[in-house]
Every structure is written in structure tokens, then in C-alpha cells.
Amino acid sequence: MILVFIGPPGAGKGTQARRLTERFGIPQIATGDMLRARKEAGTLPADLAATMSAGGLLPDEAVVGLIRDRIAEPDCAKGFILDGFPRTKGQALALDTMLKNSGYDLDRVLFLQVPDSLIVERIVNRRVCVSTGEVFHLMYSPPPAGRDVRQRDDDTEEKIRRRLSEYGNTFEALRQHYGSLVREVDGTGSIEEVSGRILQAVEA
Ligand code: AMP
């Protein structure tokens, strides 16, 4: 099974994709996580690291190669869940070619929909566990005592506005590109409620 999650920052793509990996036994591939790991390790070129910190999108060629290498790994043979890729029409076209060359078919493209006002509230309260990558919300799912959690440097209100505007510029082109594979899912409510809607959309 190959699934793609599309949605604004803070829509819950990562949280929901992680839940599906357990259910379907396939890996989650998150370009944001891969890029952050490189940034923290100091292996991401400085100009790209600065673009990320400012909440901008990296050029397509900087992310397409990451995905090409990752989906060629053995744990992707039964499928995978893409979270945060593709984000542009160019990336979607590159993905089409990669899947065709590997003999894979895309099953569903899930658009998680959450209003901007809720996104901002979710993101400024988002904290990520340094050792496990688990995502917490300071009020609704606070980190357990003793956890070393951090706020991402692009999770400030100003940068969220920029990231929302990047998303606003590109999502319609992606929706049109994927046509009948698209399922729109209401991303508001509890994590369980959204998971239930996603499973229905995947299995329908
Ligand atoms: P995310 O964790 O998905 O919110 O991604 C964090 C940041 O990584 C984004 O704001 C971009 O700077 C960069 N990024 C992640 N995925 C992509 C992508 N598919 N295309 C371009 N930039 C990306």
C-alpha cells in the first residue's frame, strides 16, 4: 500500500502517518524529519538549512533524491506512507516517474483539512521529544515529566504563516494532479476521531 499525506503544517500528517505504519506494517517517510536530521548533523548545505529555518520550501531537486534513495530500501518493498512529500507539482511528477520505474501504484492521496486558526494554535503549542521524535501538544497531550522536548525553530507564529502561505500556493495543483485518488479528510477533533476517518478513506 502506498499512501500520500498532504495537508498544511500542523494538520496532523506525521501523527496520523505514524499510526498507520503500525496498522499496515509499512514505513513512514517524512521529508521534514529527514531534512531536520541532516540539518542537526550539519550535513545539510547552509543555504538549505536557512530556508528551512525561515519556513520556506526547499528546491525540488533537494528532496526528490532523498525520496528516490529511501523508497529503494528493502523495508519499502510492501509499501510506504509519504508525509510531507510531494509538496509541489514538480515533486508529484518526479514521484510518478519513480513509482512507475519501480512498478508501484499509488493507492490514496489523503488531504487533511484543518482551518488556519486551529493550525496556529496547534503549532505554537507543539513540542517534539528529542530522543523519540514523538509529538506533543502542551495542553491537549502534554509530554510526560522528565521528557526532553523541544520546539522546532520553524514553529513560531510568523513562520507558520509563511508555511501556510506556501501550502496555499501549491495544494490545489496537487489536488488536481491526483484527481480520483484524492480523499479529503476532516483533520479536526481528537487523534482517534481523525484516525477513524482516515481508515475509512483508505479502505473505502
Ligand atoms: P515539515 O516537517 O514537513 O513541516 O517540513 C519542515 C520543512 O522542511 C519545510 O518547511 C521545508 O523547509 C522542508 N521540507 C520538507 N519537505 C519538503 C518538500 N517536500 N519540499 C520542499 N521542502 C520541504
Side-chain angles (χ1 to χ4, degrees):
M1 163 147 358
I2 300 180
L3 300 174
V4 169
F5 269 99
I6 293 178
K13 301 184 295 291
T15 302
Q16 296 297 339
R18 220 164 283 131
R19 292 188 139 218
L20 289 184
T21 64
E22 285 156 27
R23 184 170 177 114
F24 295 117
I26 53 177
Q28 169 203 20
I29 302 177
T31 40
D33 290 346
M34 294 164 88
L35 292 165
R36 262 186 299 282
R38 282 166 175 70
K39 187 171 166 231
E40 272 154 37
T43 55
L44 192 68
D47 55 330
L48 299 185
T51 302
M52 262 186 95
S53 295
L57 281 187
L58 270 51
D60 290 349
E61 58 273 20
V63 283
V64 167
L66 288 181
I67 293 290
R68 184 177 298 117
D69 294 346
R70 181 65 186 90
I71 68 177
E73 286 178 31
D75 65 330
C76 292
K78 285 198 206 130
F80 44 86
I81 303 167
L82 292 173
D83 155 14
F85 180 96
R87 260 174 159 98
T88 64
K89 178 90 182 281
Q91 293 177 17
L93 291 168
L95 177 64
D96 289 347
T97 306
M98 286 186 248
L99 295 179
K100 205 170 156 205
N101 291 342
S102 324
Y104 290 136
D105 280 323
L106 194 50
D107 292 277
R108 288 275 182 273
V109 178
L110 303 162
F111 273 73
L112 269 184
Q113 294 179 312
V114 178
D116 286 6
S117 53
L118 193 57
I119 295 285
V120 173
E121 189 274 340
R122 278 187 186 179
I123 293 203
V124 294
N125 285 292
R126 175 157 77 177
R127 296 293 181 276
V128 182
C129 177
V130 173
S131 46
T132 65
E134 278 169 281
V135 178
F136 299 98
H137 184 287
L138 287 180
M139 280 177 282
Y140 306 134
S141 57
R147 278 297 182 95
D148 184 9
V149 293
R150 253 184 240 160
Q151 185 170 29
R152 284 170 41 175
D153 66 353
D154 57 350
D155 275 355
T156 62
E157 184 159 354
E158 182 203 342
K159 292 174 187 174
I160 295 158
R161 301 259 174 227
R162 170 154 183 206
R163 288 157 64 205
L164 281 173
S165 130
E166 295 274 14
Y167 178 70
N169 291 337
T170 54
F171 84 96
E172 194 49 50
L174 292 174
R175 188 156 48 191
Q176 283 179 16
H177 181 77
Y178 287 119
S180 62
L181 292 177
V182 170
R183 297 290 179 278
E184 295 190 359
V185 178
D186 176 1
T188 64
S190 69
I191 292 174
E192 276 71 26
E193 282 167 335
V194 179
S195 286
R197 292 180 202 129
I198 288 174
L199 283 179
Q200 270 185 346
V202 168
E203 283 158 4

